[in-house]
Structures are given as C-alpha cells and as structure tokens.
Amino acid sequence: MTDDNPATRLVPLAELDLDSLRLDEDPQALRLASRADNQRVAAALVAQARRSLEVFSRDLETEIYDQPDFLEGVRALALRSPKVCIRILLQDPARVVRDGHRLVELARRLSSFIEIRRPSHDYRDYNEAFLIADGSGLLHRRLADRYEGEASFKHPLRARELRNFFDEVWQRAAPHPELQRLHL
C-alpha cells in the first residue's frame, strides 16, 4: 500500500466521519481496531445496503451482530424488497441458540428473506470473519476472534473475492435444525 493514494492507505476509523461515507461511492480503506469500530462499520454498511448482505462468522459475535442499530438495519433491508438476499454462514451455532441471539430470532421471523446455514466440516478451520454489503462494501477480519480488521464502503474487487469464497461455502452448507423456525 502506498500513502500517496488515500483509497489504499488504511485510515483509523477515529480519523473519519463515518456518517459521511457512502456505500459504493467511498473507497477509503479503514483500519478497525476495536469492538466499537466493528459495531459502527457493520451497522453503517447494513443501513446503506439495498440489495444484499452476506455474513461469515464463527458465532455471530454478540458485540457486533446483536446490537440494535445492526438488527434494525437487517430488518429494514429484509423488508425493503422481495428480491433482497440476506445470507449468513455461521460456523458454531450452539452459543447463539443457547443465548437467544436476536439476529437468529429475526431470521426465524423473516425466514423468507434471511437464511442461515452452517458450513460443511471442510471449512471448520477457516478463521476469518467478514460482512459484504451490496457486493461492494465490506468489513473483514483475518482473525475471527480479534477485532483488528479492515473495512471499505467501496472495494468491489475484494468484496467479489470474498463473495466467491462465500458462494463456494454456501453451496456446500446446510441449514442447521436449531436455527430454523419451529412450526407448531
């Protein structure tokens, strides 16, 4: 990366006005260093998404994905259009089911719009976490159990790479029985 190009230099989130960044318009590369950074960027990306959201996570980190702003963004996105696609790959559903994660509850209520699957065992050692909004915006952590990561509101090339991997895993993934709505 060069410091000459502002789109490729990682800028700490604290140095930017996050509200001024627009999905699919602002290519600024953001450095994420904390739980709060991840919360803010995830909520901002989903709030601006209009077509799709993909999330790959070990356990749907409560500190990021079970927060009111993020949940409201997902709900609004799901209800925006019948063509919206929200897909979540969740590696370890046991904790989210046990703890009553609100994103899982939302997915159960809006099951026509939000689908959660568990990756096959072939991907059990994959230790990255990411979110892709509208195939352009992304939040990516190379180590899923850490908050350090990168984000951008416009990085279609990297988003496409991650989405291709997501699609590969999705094709081999299966719905987890405990994550589906119980019909009585």
Side-chain angles (χ1 to χ4, degrees):
M1 281 192 235
T2 65
D3 288 336
D4 297 338
N5 183 346
T8 59
R9 184 174 63 89
L10 279 176
V11 174
L13 192 58
E15 293 181 13
L16 292 173
D17 174 14
L18 189 57
D19 294 332
S20 71
L21 299 177
R22 294 289 162 246
L23 186 59
D24 208 26
E25 292 179 16
D26 292 303
Q28 181 64 58
L30 309 173
R31 179 183 306 133
L32 307 178
S34 68
R35 176 185 68 210
D37 288 353
N38 281 265
Q39 284 175 348
R40 291 178 57 217
V41 169
L45 286 168
V46 75
Q48 293 185 38
R50 297 290 175 256
R51 299 179 310 277
S52 65
L53 180 71
E54 287 86 24
V55 176
F56 193 113
S57 175
R58 288 191 106 30
D59 61 2
L60 285 178
E61 300 86 339
T62 299
E63 303 84 4
I64 301 169
Y65 300 119
D66 196 1
Q67 300 302 311
D69 290 344
F70 184 81
L71 294 165
E72 177 53 32
V74 171
R75 187 193 66 72
L77 176 62
L79 298 176
R80 181 165 285 118
S81 163
K83 294 181 181 182
V84 165
C85 180
I86 300 173
R87 301 182 298 166
I88 300 168
L89 284 168
L90 175 59
Q91 289 177 296
D92 184 10
R95 188 177 118 209
V96 299
V97 170
R98 181 187 69 235
D99 295 346
H101 199 291
R102 291 180 293 176
L103 184 54
V104 172
E105 294 305 317
L106 182 63
R108 286 176 175 159
R109 285 195 317 273
L110 299 173
S111 60
S112 298
F113 306 100
I114 304 170
E115 188 173 355
I116 301 176
R117 292 185 185 178
R118 185 176 191 181
S120 74
H121 288 290
D122 297 339
Y123 301 97
R124 71 177 166 261
D125 294 327
Y126 183 75
N127 193 33
E128 297 184 28
F130 59 86
L131 173 153
I132 305 165
D134 285 356
S136 181
L138 64 97
L139 182 159
H140 182 222
R141 296 188 333 267
R142 293 194 187 282
L143 296 173
D145 55 346
R146 306 209 32 161
Y147 289 119
E148 294 84 7
E150 301 175 11
S152 178
F153 281 66
K154 182 182 181 182
H155 198 324
L157 179 61
R158 183 64 180 135
R160 187 176 320 120
E161 291 169 357
L162 289 171
R163 190 171 191 179
N164 287 343
F165 174 73
F166 186 96
D167 289 342
E168 171 190 318
V169 177
W170 186 262
Q171 293 303 317
R172 298 178 64 195
H176 192 279
E178 291 184 60
L179 298 174
Q180 297 184 347
R181 183 175 195 95
L182 298 176
H183 298 283
L184 301 176

